[in-house]
Amino acid sequence: MSLAPSPLHVHYMRDDLAALLPAPDLLAVFGFGPDAPSSNDPRYLRVPLAPWGAPALETWRAAAPVTCGREGAVQWSSDGAWLFGAIEVDEASAGGITAAARTAYAELTRFVRARGFPHLIRIWNYLDAITHGEGDGERYREFCVGRAQGLGPVDVATLPAATAIGRCDGTRVLQVYWLAAQVPGTPLENPRQVSAYRYPRQYGPQSPSFARAMLPPTADRTPLLLSGTAAVVGHASQHAGSLSAQIDETLCNFDALLQAARARQPALPATLGAGTRLKVYVRDAADLPTVERMLRERLAGVPFIVLHAAVCRSELAVEIDGVHG
């Protein structure tokens, strides 16, 4: 029998990793940057994006005891209703970023189906030098081709929420992690934006494979899962060269997404607040303190972390994702 999961609880913690791991309801925990702690626990993943300010751990807590393990290249954990998984693929061994993405997504797809969690709810992708290359040889475009090949035939109306961001450490290893369930969530699109999977050919031979947000298949459809969001209106980037204007446009996009979500789940808070958790990706290291300050001014009371990471369009300085509920 398929299980509707209980809501996940996401927090940013200053605790020691060793103090968190004994918790029986810990589904996943993430450390950020080269100074993050190490652990072989399958629930733990070190994300290769350096944080600004004091190091933090991101925790996902479930509502039931969690089991975990490793199967081939995949590390995983589950509470019986949610399935967390992660895979890393060395580009050189795979034959380039397209082949690495194809390998990662083919294994991801095989794994979730074999485990009985066929519905992808949320995915994160981190790859080095994301905007390097010209035209269709840009690495992000090549990644999109490989991702689609690995996913295989799919109904675009069922695509998960997702983020694709550039790591800045020069390591050509594709890292993908995900959240899957036994029952489907409800993908959402932003009325201010063209759906990413319908982008015109100018953005590459394969449009990006994700939804703008996802209402999870929990009983109350919370928390809302927000995809990587930037200063894009329609399909065009806005405010090149203006950090402040890009942040404001991104927040306008979140406002539109929240209203679209509240049409399906009116109990969701109408604005970002204490129940929101945001990850903020900033392209230029010199902008990290400025972005942190601007967001403190605009989002009083909203927990967030700021990470050094390259956005998938070179003219965009900031991208933000998170959960809201």
Side-chain angles (χ1 to χ4, degrees):
M1 183 174 109
S2 296
L3 297 176
S6 297
L8 282 177
H9 298 281
V10 179
H11 296 285
Y12 301 136
M13 317 284 290
R14 305 295 181 191
D15 302 46
D16 291 335
L17 178 62
L20 295 172
L21 291 176
D25 64 346
L26 185 69
L27 184 69
V29 58
F30 306 89
F32 299 95
D35 297 326
S38 297
S39 174
N40 291 323
D41 191 300
R43 298 168 298 166
Y44 176 69
L45 188 66
R46 178 154 46 180
V47 174
L49 307 178
W52 170 255
L57 297 170
E58 178 181 334
T59 63
W60 297 355
R61 290 190 181 272
V66 169
T67 58
C68 60
R70 297 181 185 272
E71 181 180 312
V74 176
Q75 62 185 81
W76 64 271
S77 62
S78 177
D79 70 341
W82 289 115
L83 177 67
F84 160 72
I87 187 170
E88 295 182 327
V89 179
D90 180 79
E91 291 185 32
S93 299
I97 184 57
T98 300
R102 181 170 60 247
T103 297
Y105 271 82
E107 179 60 14
L108 181 166
T109 301
R110 181 207 66 78
F111 182 80
V112 297
R113 289 174 179 169
R115 286 274 167 180
F117 292 79
H119 300 287
L120 291 167
I121 305 298
R122 185 65 168 89
I123 304 181
W124 290 258
N125 310 272
Y126 301 129
L127 60 147
D128 187 51
I130 193 168
T131 55
H132 288 201
E134 298 297 326
D136 289 347
E138 181 192 66
R139 283 172 51 78
Y140 177 60
R141 298 186 184 197
E142 293 179 336
F143 162 79
C144 287
V145 170
R147 170 170 57 181
Q149 291 173 347
L151 280 172
V154 62
D155 179 357
V156 294
T158 67
L159 286 169
T163 298
I165 280 290
R167 53 193 296 171
C168 301
D169 59 355
T171 301
R172 296 293 173 93
V173 172
L174 171 64
Q175 184 183 70
V176 181
Y177 64 95
W178 65 88
L179 190 65
Q182 296 174 340
V183 289
T186 304
L188 298 172
E189 295 302 312
N190 188 332
R192 302 182 81 234
Q193 297 177 313
V194 173
S195 297
Y197 51 78
R198 291 182 176 150
Y199 275 180
R201 176 61 178 82
Q202 73 191 75
Y203 295 102
Q206 173 63 55
S207 55
S209 304
F210 70 94
R212 299 292 184 186
M214 178 73 76
L215 286 168
T218 55
D220 63 357
R221 296 197 285 188
T222 66
L224 176 66
L225 304 168
L226 299 162
S227 293
T229 302
V232 174
V233 178
H235 57 73
S237 302
Q238 306 291 313
H239 316 298
S242 175
L243 192 59
S244 178
Q246 285 195 25
I247 289 173
D248 289 339
E249 196 74 72
T250 301
L251 296 180
C252 285
N253 279 328
F254 278 143
D255 286 343
L257 273 172
L258 264 55
Q259 297 318 306
R262 280 168 50 78
R264 302 291 189 95
Q265 173 47 292
L268 280 169
T271 59
L272 303 177
T276 306
R277 305 287 184 270
L278 300 177
K279 286 202 287 289
V280 183
Y281 307 99
V282 181
R283 172 180 294 279
D284 294 326
D287 288 336
L288 289 164
T290 303
V291 170
E292 199 271 347
R293 176 182 56 79
M294 288 180 173
L295 287 175
R296 292 287 175 212
E297 293 170 352
R298 290 163 170 78
L299 298 175
V302 176
F304 64 84
I305 55 175
V306 178
L307 304 170
H308 182 211
V311 184
C312 67
R313 296 186 187 183
S314 57
E315 69 275 13
L316 293 175
V318 178
E319 183 168 316
I320 305 174
D321 68 22
V323 300
H324 172 73

